[in-house]
Amino acid sequence: MVDFDLAGRTTELTALRDRIHRLPSQGGALVVRGEPGIGKSSLLDAAARLAETVGHRALQATGFESEARIPFAGLHQFLRPVIHAADRLPATQRQALLSALGVDDGPSPELFKVALAVLNLLAELATERPVVVVVDDVHWLDQSSQDVLTFVARRVDRDAVLVVGAIRNGHASPFAGAGLPEFEVAALDDAAAREVLATRAADLSAADRDRILLEARGNPLALVELPEAWRTLGAAGRRAPLSTVPLTARLERAFAGRVGDLPGDARDAVLVAAVDYDNDLSEILAATSVLSGRPADVGVFHAPIQARLLTVDGTQVRFRHPLVRSAVLQEEPLARRLAANAALAKALDADPYRRTMHRAQSILGPDDEVADELEATHTISLRRGSVTSAVWALERSAQLTTDSATQGRRLLLAGEHAFGLGRADMVDRLITAAARTELTELDRARMEWLREIFSDGVPGDAGRVLELCEIAERSAAAGDFDLVLNLLLGAALRCWWADTGPQARTRVAAVAEALPVPATTPRRLAALSVAEPVLRGAVVHDVLTRMSPAGDYDADALRLLGMAAHAVGDAVRAVDLLSRSAQKLREEGRLGLLSHVLTMQINNYLWMGDWDRALVVSEEGHRIAADTGQPVWTTGSMSQEAIRFGLRGETERALKMAAQVEAEAGRDRLNDLLCCVQLARGLAWLSSGQYELSYEALRRLYDPADPSYHPRESFDGVMFFAEAAAHSGNRQDAAPVLAELERAARITPSPLLHIHLLYARAVLAEDADAEKLYATALGHDLSRWPLVRAKLELAYGEWLRRHRRAADSRTPLRSALTTLKLIGATAWAERARAELRASGERMSERQASALDELSPQQLEIARLAADGLSNKEIGERLYLSPRTVGSHLYRIFPILDITTRAQLAARLEER
């Protein structure tokens, strides 16, 4: 007998069968796309049956529009059969997962801590037998479940786990946009369509079947359902022109017609099932009893089952197709839908969270009692790790609130949570609504902060900075110093990104310094340093120096302290603080903030000469940006990539990326990024020996009238500017610039500036003074600044050889060559090699290292394994499953020609 649901689907079934049969040697994910009714659900059901047939474990879930506000509802569906296995997870991951699913009480879990728990749970189960996760209508899962599913799908290539998800065309979803393999389910061809229709419409005439074929256009659901509707049409209806109504609407109308023919109690039961996301038979029957006013039992579903609207499978009620659910909700009037939600709310006394959700959907408002319940409920959503649900609860609470000020406060609170999601569009909508309410003075200040929070600054917008400072002072008078610091940090960031002038910068610093909070308050330090990195550099540096480096700071405090250190040019301290912040953020699963920390780390690693680490951090930032739905390459991270290419001597790549950054940053004249653009260009030309071009590019960094001028970012280029000036014959032109930088050095103790000036003084000195200045520079502790030390040694070696002291030049040149090779500074390493040859030393050809063959992620895994971390610990740190880590190590060992983890440390020292 023909299985009509799968007729004509040989290609699609083969693709699914192939992916399932690759297990356990290869996992992965697959996106199945298509129009409504095209057969995606049938294909997914077939995939689940096939998986079970070959001995795999199939876990299934289906997204429903009505469940989208319930945190982790989709996750709960497919994990329900295996949740007992959570006992195998590390304690923190188990707690996060069980809290998210509402199984256990606990602190609010971070989304990506939950995601890591699910990844490891599936990987653990897959060690027993392969796991196939099949999810229909992914776009209708709650947002938290979509994010977790996408996170897992990206990371199971090396686990015996296959994730198959169906997406309806025209619907956005992180799962659909994750770059996963996919195929589209097309309409059936004519032969397959006729085969399907023959099983459903044998009693209709050939002419009627041809007409249905034209109407259905190869859509399997239409071929199955339209014959029933066709039989109810009169002769005139059958002769009517082809409908211009979309097929989806016609199918919904066909289902709605069957709903209208149901007996009253059955229709009540179907309506309750349509508004209930949990599909639980017992609670649907209880709510049906409330709605209809008389007891209901499972027999109430006999007529809907006969009408092929739904099925009852054990304790679950499932609609045959999502279009049936939407047809029910469209067919029933608003009053009936409200009543069904009210009935469900009464049936859910044991579940206050869901009861409140349904109460909120049972009224048109206002209702302060329900509004208060919703506000209280939003904390449960946060505790379960669903910020999206919390935002909805607060926004709906505001809609039901009678008091205008309370309404505004709830909208702004929702806006703060939306900011945590990175949703600028949502924040804008919420504060626009809040602006129409009667806000208190403090809430108006909070609204201004939210307006500011996504702004990168407007060039020359000193007025806005001064306005934010005035609002901050009023908030300080009201005693809300937390809000004050948020406002000041927003104002300071405007000063950093774009030139707002000295008055605005001074004002931010003055307000921050006047606050009655400890000088060590992280946000105060960050605001002070970002607004006035030069003039307040000494104050910030002094406070950071007095603070205990091993203090017990939380992840956000470490991030802000690291930001302050970075702003004043203390790269070593910044790296240490930001590394600790990054580790804590990973442990807590706060990947949104982690991507910001990683971007700052790239810059500091570059100047300290740890370019391998800069590449690893950049690659990790790329992956996390994709996981968190943030732009994969922000303009800021692109600017750091351009600088890295310039340092490595990859001239064309550096210039191309610099042009991209300039196009983005130039529109808003963001001085910070335009400064990075010129630095990248100057480095690209410098490392390729084009000294005049390099000097012209770098000279712009120190001209206050140039859009590329930035008082602090220009410190990054001092050493290279001096080198370009020395090699291009521009020593005299560079002298005033260096004099101005020396004056800045008397104001700020910025390590970056002072160390770069050690190099500049020696390189640009007269011959009579040069050797003493080289000795002074090399006498400093530059152990954390290997790039600066190596370039000093190279320049000193060149100076010695030019003065006919070839034998003396070899020692600094050898040291420079060794360090520059380790760093990856190819162009400067070749210069050192050439100088050694010229000094009379015989040089062997450079041999490529096996370490060069490792990807950034493999290099990081090797380093962590060399440090003694287990596969599970490495996986927790890098958000990978232990099996994936093991697979990487399996590939790393032959590349490095080693057989044990104990040999890793020695091989890594070769780099």
Side-chain angles (χ1 to χ4, degrees):
M1 177 177 170
V2 175
D3 184 348
F4 61 82
D5 283 331
L6 300 180
R9 295 301 183 204
T10 303
T11 301
E12 292 87 346
L13 285 170
T14 299
L16 288 167
R17 189 177 293 112
D18 176 63
R19 293 304 301 266
I20 290 170
H21 285 318
R22 290 185 204 175
L23 297 169
S25 60
Q26 182 184 346
L30 188 63
V31 179
V32 179
R33 291 181 176 271
E35 300 294 335
I38 206 68
K40 302 186 298 298
S41 300
S42 297
L43 285 167
L44 263 61
D45 284 343
R49 291 199 303 271
L50 176 61
E52 295 278 6
T53 300
V54 298
H56 301 343
R57 187 194 305 272
L59 302 175
Q60 293 180 265
T62 300
F64 299 112
E65 284 180 284
S66 57
E67 75 175 2
R69 300 185 188 99
I70 308 300
F72 296 108
L75 195 63
H76 190 271
Q77 277 192 64
F78 71 80
L79 288 183
R80 186 181 297 169
V82 295
I83 196 61
H84 60 277
D87 289 341
R88 307 182 197 178
L89 295 173
T92 58
Q93 293 180 30
R94 180 176 65 251
Q95 182 64 60
L97 180 59
L98 296 181
S99 294
L101 298 180
V103 175
D104 204 357
D105 289 331
S108 173
E110 286 289 341
L111 175 69
F112 292 101
K113 179 67 77 174
V114 177
L116 182 61
V118 174
L119 173 66
N120 284 329
L121 176 60
L122 295 177
E124 183 70 25
L125 292 168
T127 61
E128 301 168 352
R129 55 175 170 144
V131 176
V132 179
V133 179
V134 178
V135 184
D136 201 3
D137 288 325
V138 173
H139 50 279
W140 280 337
L141 292 179
D142 61 279
Q143 189 64 48
S144 301
S145 294
Q146 288 191 54
D147 290 337
V148 169
L149 189 71
T150 305
F151 179 98
V152 170
R154 283 198 183 103
R155 287 168 167 77
V156 290
D157 284 0
R158 292 180 172 85
D159 293 288
V161 178
L162 175 66
V163 178
V164 183
I167 299 282
R168 183 182 291 192
N169 285 349
H171 285 258
S173 166
F175 187 78
L180 303 170
E182 62 179 61
F183 68 75
E184 177 139 2
V185 184
L188 295 174
D189 60 25
D190 185 68
R194 289 183 182 278
E195 183 181 1
V196 171
L197 192 61
T199 67
R200 309 301 301 176
D203 58 316
L204 298 178
S205 68
D208 285 344
R209 290 200 297 272
D210 286 343
R211 178 64 181 276
I212 292 172
L213 285 170
L214 287 173
E215 292 268 3
R217 297 186 182 91
N219 183 291
L221 184 64
L223 291 165
V224 170
E225 302 300 338
L226 288 181
E228 184 65 29
W230 198 260
R231 293 183 184 98
T232 65
L233 293 174
R238 296 181 184 185
R239 289 193 299 271
L242 285 174
S243 175
T244 58
V245 177
L247 178 61
T248 300
R250 280 180 281 145
L251 286 168
E252 285 178 338
R253 189 181 300 161
F255 289 128
R258 296 184 208 171
V259 173
D261 292 337
L262 293 174
D265 56 350
R267 185 167 178 170
D268 287 344
V270 171
L271 174 58
V272 170
V275 299
D276 180 21
Y277 80 90
D278 206 41
N279 309 315
D280 183 81
L281 176 62
S282 60
E283 72 182 35
I284 290 172
L285 290 175
T288 300
S289 299
V290 174
L291 182 62
S292 63
R294 54 183 178 275
D297 58 32
V298 71
V300 78
F301 286 111
H302 178 72
I305 293 171
Q306 289 295 107
R308 301 181 66 252
L309 294 171
L310 48 73
T311 61
V312 177
D313 180 15
T315 61
Q316 297 286 297
V317 179
R318 300 190 182 279
F319 286 99
R320 283 195 59 245
H321 193 275
L323 288 178
V324 179
R325 186 186 291 266
S326 61
V328 172
L329 295 175
Q330 289 186 38
E331 172 72 6
E332 296 288 2
L334 175 60
R336 289 258 300 157
R337 297 198 301 272
L338 297 175
N341 275 292
L344 258 175
K346 288 183 179 178
L348 290 170
D349 276 341
D351 188 343
Y353 179 80
R354 291 180 57 217
R355 180 191 65 206
T356 300
M357 291 292 189
H358 283 289
R359 281 193 75 190
Q361 295 175 81
S362 71
I363 54 178
L364 297 178
D367 189 313
D368 286 317
E369 180 186 344
V370 176
D372 292 344
E373 283 185 20
L374 270 175
E375 183 179 8
T377 295
H378 97 275
T379 61
I380 300 176
S381 295
L382 293 175
R383 196 161 59 245
R384 293 186 180 180
S386 178
V387 180
T388 306
S389 301
V391 171
W392 177 85
L394 286 166
E395 188 172 13
R396 181 63 177 143
S397 173
Q399 292 168 355
L400 300 175
T401 301
T402 55
D403 180 69
S404 181
T406 304
Q407 185 182 53
R409 178 181 60 76
R410 286 168 173 167
L411 288 167
L412 291 175
L413 182 55
E416 289 185 38
H417 292 309
F419 161 67
L421 291 172
R423 290 289 304 276
D425 57 332
M426 192 182 290
V427 172
D428 184 63
R429 188 188 76 240
L430 290 164
I431 62 176
T432 298
R436 294 193 288 265
T437 65
E438 297 175 5
L439 295 172
T440 65
E441 182 73 18
L442 274 178
D443 280 337
R444 288 202 172 279
R446 190 166 287 109
M447 182 174 67
E448 292 302 326
W449 169 61
L450 285 169
R451 279 182 172 155
E452 187 66 22
I453 212 162
F454 282 106
S455 172
D456 284 335
V458 179
D461 190 16
R464 178 59 174 164
V465 172
L466 296 173
E467 181 184 8
L468 288 169
C469 290
E470 183 181 342
I471 296 168
E473 285 188 314
R474 292 201 302 268
S475 301
D480 193 337
F481 298 118
D482 192 58
L483 176 58
V484 173
L485 290 167
N486 283 337
L487 288 162
L488 289 177
L489 186 54
L493 286 168
R494 278 183 172 262
C495 297
W496 178 273
W497 286 109
D499 183 14
T500 54
Q503 182 189 1
R505 294 197 299 269
T506 301
R507 181 85 166 102
V508 175
V511 176
E513 288 175 325
L515 289 176
V517 298
T520 54
T521 304
R523 261 178 300 174
R524 178 187 182 277
L525 272 177
L528 203 58
S529 60
V530 170
E532 282 285 25
V534 179
L535 295 181
R536 297 301 195 278
V539 173
V540 173
H541 187 269
D542 180 59
V543 173
L544 287 172
T545 301
R546 286 188 285 106
M547 294 177 72
S548 170
D552 186 20
Y553 307 112
D554 64 27
D556 202 46
L558 289 166
R559 176 182 69 89
L560 291 164
L561 294 172
M563 181 190 296
H566 169 73
V568 298
D570 191 347
V572 172
R573 197 186 307 273
V575 160
D576 293 343
L577 289 165
L578 293 171
S579 296
R580 290 173 60 199
S581 175
Q583 181 57 31
K584 286 177 177 284
L585 290 169
R586 288 188 189 97
E587 292 169 357
E588 295 167 9
R590 298 168 65 188
L591 300 195
L593 276 179
L594 178 58
S595 65
H596 303 162
V597 168
L598 294 175
T599 300
M600 282 191 284
Q601 281 186 298
I602 297 170
N603 178 270
N604 294 295
Y605 280 131
L606 287 176
W607 304 134
M608 290 171 60
D610 195 344
W611 296 355
D612 283 342
R613 182 68 63 180
L615 181 58
V616 168
V617 167
S618 178
E619 197 273 346
E620 183 184 5
H622 178 99
R623 286 185 288 110
I624 288 174
D627 288 330
T628 56
Q630 298 178 92
V632 174
W633 291 114
T634 64
T635 308
S637 63
M638 283 176 61
S639 74
Q640 299 307 303
E641 280 294 286
I643 290 170
R644 188 174 68 85
F645 288 138
L647 286 166
R648 289 180 55 84
E650 299 181 53
T651 304
E652 293 305 316
R653 294 181 73 179
L655 294 176
K656 182 178 179 181
M657 189 162 285
Q660 289 179 261
V661 175
E662 186 174 48
E664 292 291 327
R667 284 196 296 268
D668 296 325
R669 293 184 60 206
L670 298 176
N671 306 72
D672 174 73
L673 296 180
L674 291 173
C675 183
C676 293
V677 166
Q678 290 307 118
L679 179 56
R681 286 175 174 152
L683 290 168
W685 284 317
L686 182 66
S687 60
S688 61
Q690 300 178 73
Y691 298 115
E692 188 62 46
L693 285 174
S694 176
Y695 181 78
E696 290 174 5
L698 295 173
R699 181 67 175 80
R700 293 179 57 185
L701 272 58
Y702 306 100
D703 180 1
D706 193 286
S708 302
Y709 174 75
H710 190 281
R712 155 58 185 86
E713 287 285 11
S714 64
F715 293 177
D716 295 351
V718 172
M719 175 170 65
F720 310 103
F721 172 71
E723 182 180 358
H727 284 275
S728 64
N730 283 296
R731 293 170 184 263
Q732 188 173 353
D733 184 72
V737 172
L738 269 297
E740 189 62 35
L741 289 165
E742 293 284 6
R743 281 192 287 273
R746 289 194 287 273
I747 297 171
T748 175
S750 168
L752 181 66
L753 175 60
H754 282 264
I755 286 172
H756 272 228
L757 282 174
L758 291 173
Y759 178 95
R761 291 179 194 126
V763 167
L764 295 176
E766 298 294 335
D767 283 345
D769 302 318
E771 187 158 20
K772 179 180 179 182
L773 289 169
Y774 277 120
T776 299
L778 289 168
H780 278 70
D781 179 8
L782 298 175
S783 56
R784 297 290 297 271
W785 299 86
L787 176 63
V788 178
R789 188 187 68 237
K791 284 187 59 57
L792 268 167
E793 290 170 333
L794 173 57
Y796 184 36
E798 289 174 329
W799 185 88
L800 287 168
R801 197 185 66 77
R802 283 199 311 273
H803 287 77
R804 302 182 183 280
R805 296 166 60 182
D808 292 339
S809 73
R810 290 172 193 152
T811 297
L813 287 172
R814 287 190 200 108
S815 179
L817 176 60
T818 300
T819 303
L820 292 168
K821 282 170 57 180
L822 287 171
I823 289 173
T826 308
W828 283 300
E830 287 305 313
R831 256 176 58 187
R833 189 186 300 274
E835 287 289 332
L836 276 168
R837 285 198 193 96
S839 75
E841 184 155 315
R842 299 184 64 180
M843 301 294 300
S844 59
E845 291 299 315
R846 175 186 181 273
Q847 298 296 315
S849 168
L851 291 167
D852 294 336
E853 299 180 34
L854 300 183
S855 71
Q857 187 179 67
Q858 287 175 327
L859 187 60
E860 182 71 356
I861 288 171
R863 281 178 169 152
L864 293 172
D867 288 341
L869 275 69
S870 67
N871 288 5
K872 182 173 288 188
E873 289 169 331
I874 295 171
E876 288 185 19
R877 183 169 297 191
L878 299 183
Y879 282 79
L880 302 170
S881 75
R883 177 166 170 160
T884 298
V885 174
S887 178
H888 276 301
L889 287 170
Y890 178 79
R891 288 164 173 77
I892 289 167
F893 281 17
I895 293 173
L896 300 184
D897 193 26
I898 59 176
T899 55
T900 68
R901 297 168 86 102
Q903 296 170 288
L904 275 169
R907 291 307 304 264
L908 290 173
E909 288 178 2
E910 298 174 8
R911 195 169 180 88

